[in-house]
Amino acid sequence: RTGDAQQAAEVALQAWRESTAEGAAAGFLHPAGDLMVAALARLECGDPEGARALAAQGRDAAIGQGVAFQAAWLAMAVAMVDLLMGYADDAQAAFRELAATAGRHGFGNVERLAALGMTECCALLGDAAGAREWFVRAEALPHPAPAFAQATTMARAWLAAADGDEREAARVLREHGVELAERGEYREAAVLLDEAAMFGDVGAADTLLGIIGHVDTPVGRARALRAKAVRTGSADDLLAAADGWA
């Protein structure tokens, strides 16, 4: 909530160590969940490889102890990191398997999120028909908690982009991003506004620059550089943004 991703990762890893120490009392949730929090925090710190490794460690621990529900969520995190790193083929294979597994177990939220992940993968790979098929499947499932609404918006935007309407993609992202920003959910807003900026939406870039001070992380600072580059179109700003993401 405070935007301190480094502290979030450290606290989550400490919780994992304490909950898995010899003699530790069993908790209500499987301790692998702590690794999912740590993975997401490491991602915001600009360490996708480290984030993926933590998520995979938690997934494997949950699988080893037969905790299918927790394993499914950690597998979702691994697939998401693969997608964000640009490995759309790997992410697609993982999301497809996860959608099938979650459907068999009745994990509705996971199945829906996996189908939305497949929507984005298909769109990135140029398969507009496949993207639409997976989005329809996702929408037929029960809608998840509001915390997961961002994934629906992202998939809807990429579906529009796959159909050739990048202006609509940016609009969908910008409107939801502004709504989240007004509620004080700044990191979630930044994710959507940054995606809209990548589609060339200057308005989204302006809004992002107005809130990004609340998300003082390496990824947050890189997003600010990209937003500035989208707004100015300056070659120097574009190079600075590239360096920031690198």
Side-chain angles (χ1 to χ4, degrees), residues 40-123:
L40 296 175
R42 291 306 305 161
L43 195 61
E44 190 66 29
C45 289
D47 180 16
E49 292 87 356
R52 191 187 192 284
L54 287 170
Q57 180 185 353
R59 176 201 61 197
D60 295 345
I63 290 173
Q65 295 180 25
V67 187
F69 182 68
Q70 193 68 70
W73 280 107
L74 270 298
M76 172 65 68
V78 171
M80 182 187 72
V81 174
D82 280 344
L83 178 58
L84 289 173
M85 291 175 70
Y87 302 131
D89 288 320
D90 292 343
Q92 187 178 54
F95 280 130
R96 181 181 284 109
E97 180 180 354
L98 187 58
T101 302
R104 287 196 300 271
H105 285 287
F107 302 155
N109 276 342
V110 178
E111 183 183 2
R112 178 182 170 85
L113 290 171
L116 293 172
M118 281 296 297
T119 302
E120 189 171 345
C121 286
C122 289

Side-chain angles (χ1 to χ4, degrees), residues 134-227:
W134 278 100
F135 188 76
V136 169
R137 173 173 170 174
E139 288 291 89
L141 293 166
H143 279 239
F148 303 118
Q150 177 186 351
T152 302
T153 298
M154 191 73 77
R156 181 174 285 116
W158 274 98
L159 181 59
D163 286 336
D165 194 347
E166 294 189 1
R167 179 174 295 183
E168 173 64 11
R171 183 195 66 79
V172 167
L173 292 160
R174 184 186 65 253
E175 289 185 357
H176 192 182
V178 168
E179 177 187 332
L180 291 171
E182 290 174 348
R183 295 208 302 260
E185 298 178 33
Y186 297 116
R187 196 204 72 86
E188 291 75 12
V191 171
L192 298 182
L193 292 168
D194 180 53
E195 201 85 357
M198 283 194 285
F199 283 119
D201 191 303
V202 177
D206 286 339
T207 304
L208 178 58
L209 287 169
I211 67 164
I212 203 63
H214 296 285
V215 192
D216 188 22
T217 65
V219 169
R221 292 190 288 274
R223 287 186 170 122
L225 290 170
R226 174 152 58 204

Side-chain angles (χ1 to χ4, degrees), residues 17-57:
R17 288 190 289 268
E18 291 176 358
S19 60
T20 55
E22 185 175 351
F28 179 69
L29 297 175
H30 191 276
D34 296 325
L35 290 182
M36 183 165 184
V37 175
L40 296 175
R42 291 306 305 161
L43 195 61
E44 190 66 29
C45 289
D47 180 16
E49 292 87 356
R52 191 187 192 284
L54 287 170
Q57 180 185 353

